[in-house]
Amino acid sequence: MKEKILVTGGTGYIGSHTTVELINNGFEVVIIDNLSNSREDVLEGIKKITGTKPEFAKFDLCDTDQVENFFKKHQDIKAIIHFAASKAVGESVEKPLLYYRNNLQSLANILEMMGKYHIPNIAFSSSCTVYGQPEKLPVTEQSPILPAESPYGNTKQICEEILRDTLHSNDELNAISLRYFNPVGAHESAVIGELPLGIPNNLIPFITQTAAGMRKELSVFGHDYNTPDGTAVRDYIHVVDLAKAHVVAVERMINERQKAHYEVFNLGTGNGFTVLEVIKAFESSTGVKLNYKIVDRRAGDIEQVWADTTFANEELGWKAELDIRTMMASAWKWQQYLLENKEKYFD
Ligand code: UFG
């Protein structure tokens, strides 16, 4: 019998890639998603890659009645991977209550059901945003948590605290928080990837849309940072590597290999790249020249951050394998797929 994993936000960017890896590793996946930032036909993409279309339930995890109904019918779930959340930093500043409600209420509802129906394991999507601008680089899991820069970042910090406190009150439960650095790229098949919603905020979708001629030019935010070329440094990680780490985390909990009920892991490559280095990697791996200009810093951006991945490498036995060129090439292939299917994806 296949073990059943609930993936919330499973039609989203990281959720869909993780669903693929779970199915490829012999798990049965059931997805909950309200489709607020994704499309139902992602399920067809998952089927194209794996041969299996996961079971899908469309509802909002803040809807307590629907959550209760769902869990009543799915008491055999072995672990939950909780991706579903609002994730736009800028929007969270404009609509803080929306973010606090969506991100905190959904986790509280899930944890309540885990207690009630004895579902023991949860992996949580956290973010390196909890470290702010670290004093010491690279950042380890013990690096200080700094006051959040945005309501979005604050929800990630509070959710980690909710998990810690809930586990403290119920020792049947296990959790792993995975702190992502900058997830980029797409599945090599290019049938799933990051879906654009309006003008992209993030670097890689902006690069691929500029290269595709959808945007006039890329703005590089800031050139006076204390970094090798003056532009900001991030730890970009291929979304497929990230997805694989979730499978490992789930197996660790199911097979009771955890060292503590609550664990936290950094998920990055351990390598930092400047914005200009990313642009160069894109140009050299795709052969496409990018039109860009250097402008002022973007408010709220930190200067540099990259992960110390020692703990994840040693404890999880997982390591990111795909390099920056592969990330860029796969993002570009996905962009081309989107363009070929323009009428479906762009208004
Ligand atoms: N950048 C540009 N031009 C752009 C977009 C981005 O120069 O058009 C730069 C940014 O200034 C930054 C880097 O590219 O230096 C990466 O920016 P992203 O917006 O892609 O990613 P961030 O590091 O700002 O944010 C990401 C996630 C957030 C998360 C945060 C944690 O998008 O959800 O990491 O640090 F909170």
Side-chain angles (χ1 to χ4, degrees):
M1 255 265 292
K2 288 187 176 183
E3 283 168 317
K4 193 190 273 189
I5 311 295
L6 166 63
V7 179
T8 76
T11 51
Y13 175 43
I14 307 173
S16 58
H17 287 83
T18 300
T19 297
V20 164
E21 297 306 318
L22 286 166
I23 294 172
N24 285 346
N25 280 278
F27 289 101
E28 181 187 341
V29 176
V30 49
I31 289 176
I32 298 174
D33 203 304
N34 67 359
L35 301 179
S36 62
N37 193 18
S38 61
R39 299 163 52 104
E40 193 166 347
D41 56 19
V42 168
L43 299 170
E44 296 303 327
I46 293 169
K47 185 172 175 203
K48 235 184 211 166
I49 300 170
T50 63
T52 304
K53 188 170 167 182
E55 185 183 334
F56 174 58
K58 178 179 179 282
F59 65 89
D60 195 316
L61 283 159
C62 293
D63 183 333
T64 315
D65 291 343
Q66 298 232 50
V67 172
E68 175 86 48
N69 276 339
F70 175 89
F71 278 93
K72 217 180 269 165
K73 286 193 218 121
H74 291 87
Q75 295 179 33
D76 55 343
I77 289 169
K78 288 283 178 299
I80 298 170
I81 308 182
H82 181 42
F83 292 105
S86 300
K87 63 170 187 179
V89 177
E91 186 187 47
S92 79
V93 177
E94 305 292 317
K95 302 176 185 165
L97 295 180
L98 178 77
Y99 274 66
Y100 286 114
R101 190 161 40 236
N102 280 352
N103 295 2
L104 306 187
Q105 178 76 54
S106 56
L107 178 64
N109 284 348
I110 289 170
L111 286 170
E112 202 162 5
M113 292 300 108
M114 289 174 70
K116 183 163 179 185
Y117 294 109
H118 307 286
I119 297 168
N121 305 310
I122 181 166
F124 174 68
S125 282
S126 191
S127 167
C128 71
T129 197
V130 302
Y131 300 118
Q133 176 58 69
E135 267 179 35
K136 275 212 294 222
L137 287 164
V139 277
T140 72
E141 289 78 358
Q142 276 69 50
S143 295
I145 303 291
L146 298 183
E149 291 274 348
S150 68
Y152 161 77
N154 205 20
T155 67
K156 292 295 170 192
Q157 295 192 5
I158 298 171
C159 282
E160 287 199 11
E161 285 167 9
I162 291 176
L163 282 168
R164 208 175 292 119
D165 291 345
T166 308
L167 264 61
H168 193 69
S169 74
N170 180 349
D171 58 15
E172 267 188 12
L173 300 183
N174 304 298
I176 293 181
S177 283
L178 299 170
R179 293 180 181 155
Y180 312 152
F181 283 66
N182 286 52
V184 299
H187 191 266
E188 60 178 355
S189 65
V191 297
I192 57 171
E194 189 171 6
L195 273 177
L197 248 199
I199 301 174
N201 285 312
N202 297 119
L203 180 62
I204 307 314
F206 209 103
I207 287 181
T208 58
Q209 290 199 3
T210 307
M214 295 169 63
R215 312 271 158 218
K216 201 168 116 267
E217 62 189 354
L218 167 76
S219 295
V220 174
F221 298 133
H223 63 289
D224 54 355
Y225 287 113
N226 185 23
T227 61
D229 60 24
T231 64
V233 172
R234 296 288 184 276
D235 184 340
Y236 297 92
I237 174 168
H238 197 298
V239 65
V240 171
D241 275 330
L242 196 67
K244 287 178 177 167
H246 290 77
V247 178
V248 175
V250 154
E251 286 172 340
R252 180 177 175 89
M253 289 188 283
I254 291 177
N255 298 322
E256 297 176 11
R257 290 200 300 264
Q258 281 191 290
K259 300 266 165 70
H261 284 295
Y262 181 58
E263 293 179 323
V264 176
F265 294 98
N266 282 345
L267 298 182
T269 64
N271 303 312
F273 287 89
T274 67
V275 177
L276 292 180
E277 284 169 341
V278 170
I279 292 172
K280 268 193 212 111
F282 178 83
E283 290 183 333
S284 71
S285 66
T286 63
V288 182
K289 219 65 213 106
L290 207 65
N291 195 16
Y292 70 90
K293 67 169 179 209
I294 290 175
V295 301
D296 285 348
R297 294 181 179 197
R298 179 171 71 177
D301 269 350
I302 58 164
E303 181 170 89
Q304 44 189 335
V305 64
W306 66 93
D308 183 328
T309 62
T310 313
F311 188 55
N313 298 160
E314 288 177 358
E315 271 300 316
L316 294 178
W318 163 92
K319 197 172 184 345
E321 283 167 354
L322 302 171
D323 64 10
I324 191 86
R325 290 169 60 90
T326 311
M327 298 178 210
M328 296 302 123
S330 68
W332 181 229
K333 196 171 165 196
W334 167 243
Q335 180 66 57
Q336 285 164 312
Y337 171 84
L338 289 176
L339 279 182
E340 281 157 21
N341 297 277
K342 224 191 208 137
E343 58 300 330
K344 200 160 114 186
Y345 292 110
F346 303 106
D347 300 329

